[in-house]
Amino acid sequence: MSLPLEGLSAIVTGAGRGLGRAEALELARLGASVVVNDYGQPGRDGSGEASATPAEEVAAEITAAGGRAVAHLGDIADFETARGLVDLAVTEFGKLDVLVNNAGILRDRMVFSMSEDEWDSVIRVHLKGHFNTTHFAAVHWRGRAKAGETGVYGRIVNTSSEAFLAGSAGQPNYAAAKGGIVGLTTSTALALARYGVTANAICPRARTRMTEDVFAGFAEPAAEDELDPLSPEHVAPLVGYLASPAAARVNGQLLVVHGGMVAVVERPRVAAKFDTAKEAFGFEELDALLTPYFAERPPGETFAASEVLGLKKG
């Protein structure tokens, strides 16, 4: 019996630890050959010998389990480094089939306290990093299709966040980047569908090194013999599914996943529509229409969907 991802190759960014590590291991378990990307430089141990980076450790773990993997240590927010990452997958495994964009950083602060660098660095790693790898993966798949190859296979799984959906007050940079990633995902899904490529985004909730302060007290860690409800292992199987042939009809979707639960988020819908009785709206007419409409809306209700934070299994 063949594995769901047998014969496929994948890239997972930010895969040295946490969520990316769990995703890389799951893709390998399902049969994929994996390029394990994470930013870092080889260090030295106590004896002065070179020590492995987290990405190299994950690649070695996959290889030791009988899979195929190679580490990539570059910063995917750099355009040319992202080109090299995709080239590495093609060189090592003959082609690229799956791209999982996971790499990210946090620089949390209220909007009135946030520095320019705190804004720029988060947008750079999350949003620009997603674009960079997506661009070169798309070039690869489109080139194969244009060359006459039939049955081109491509899967993109991007990482958004509930911070975008719920409007996290202390994360304006992160929420903006994650909202941008959803826009990038839906645009990519429409642009690449003709080439046999799907693009979807997930909003995972997981306790990792990056989010340990965010989720402190949100949900207590499980007992020693139980799986933490915020474990990355709750998220990785959905990534494996979206990377598989079984998900061929899943495209341009946003899914929330954590703690044994997956929720499909519906697209925005128009709540109300107003037409001018004249050639163009003026202030007075807008006041007469919109002020009473919003007066009847629940206090504090905005476009943000804060109810997603209450989603749980059961």
Side-chain angles (χ1 to χ4, degrees):
M1 181 177 177
S2 62
L3 295 170
L5 304 184
E6 189 172 322
L8 302 180
S9 65
I11 289 171
V12 183
T13 70
R17 300 180 177 90
L19 191 56
R21 175 182 178 274
E23 292 167 346
L25 293 175
E26 176 69 2
L27 295 182
R29 188 187 72 81
L30 294 175
S33 301
V34 184
V35 179
V36 181
N37 161 266
D38 211 341
Y39 183 58
Q41 299 297 325
R44 299 284 175 178
D45 60 21
S47 64
E49 294 293 323
S51 59
T53 66
E56 290 169 332
E57 291 176 348
V58 173
E61 186 175 350
I62 291 172
T63 303
R68 296 180 67 194
V70 62
H72 179 274
L73 307 183
D75 173 13
I76 48 85
D78 177 80
F79 195 66
E80 290 304 316
T81 299
R83 183 200 303 271
L85 174 59
V86 172
D87 287 346
L88 177 62
V90 175
T91 299
E92 287 287 324
F93 306 128
K95 58 183 171 54
L96 173 65
D97 300 296
V98 178
L99 170 63
V100 179
N101 283 310
N102 167 75
I105 61 172
L106 289 179
R107 298 290 185 271
D108 291 353
R109 205 167 308 271
M110 299 296 283
V111 69
F112 43 76
S113 302
M114 182 163 289
S115 69
E116 181 181 18
D117 180 68
E118 288 167 337
W119 173 271
D120 288 348
S121 60
V122 168
I123 297 296
R124 175 182 180 273
V125 174
H126 287 274
L127 186 52
K128 186 170 186 284
H130 272 62
F131 162 73
N132 287 346
T133 53
T134 297
H135 168 77
F136 289 111
V139 168
H140 169 70
W141 289 318
R142 181 174 182 268
R144 287 166 52 189
K146 291 292 186 181
E149 181 178 338
T150 58
V152 173
Y153 185 99
R155 297 284 188 270
I156 300 173
V157 182
N158 289 332
T159 306
S160 182
S161 170
E162 292 169 295
F164 148 67
L165 289 171
S168 180
Q171 298 179 302
N173 48 2
Y174 185 71
K178 292 306 191 181
I181 286 167
V182 173
L184 172 64
T185 302
T186 54
S187 174
T188 301
L190 291 174
L192 300 186
R194 71 183 70 178
Y195 304 119
V197 178
T198 66
N200 296 285
I202 63 171
C203 294
R205 191 186 301 176
R207 198 190 312 274
T208 67
R209 188 182 64 158
M210 188 178 84
T211 63
E212 59 186 353
D213 293 334
V214 175
F215 291 129
F218 189 90
E220 292 301 318
E224 188 173 336
D225 60 342
E226 297 177 344
L227 184 63
D228 184 345
L230 293 181
S231 169
E233 279 68 32
H234 284 297
V235 176
L238 176 61
V239 174
Y241 167 75
L242 292 174
S244 76
R249 290 178 58 86
V250 185
N251 193 30
Q253 302 298 319
L254 179 65
L255 303 98
V256 176
V257 53
H258 59 80
M261 179 221 70
V262 173
V264 179
V265 179
E266 191 172 23
R267 70 185 187 274
R269 296 185 181 276
V270 177
K273 177 178 175 289
F274 302 93
D275 296 321
T276 181
K278 307 171 185 178
E279 184 178 358
F281 274 117
F283 174 86
E284 293 79 6
E285 189 180 15
L286 288 171
D287 180 26
L289 292 171
L290 295 181
T291 300
Y293 171 75
F294 282 105
E296 294 178 2
R297 295 279 291 270
E301 182 180 87
T302 72
F303 187 77
S306 57
E307 63 270 18
V308 299
L309 299 179
L311 291 171
K312 61 181 181 180
K313 179 183 176 184

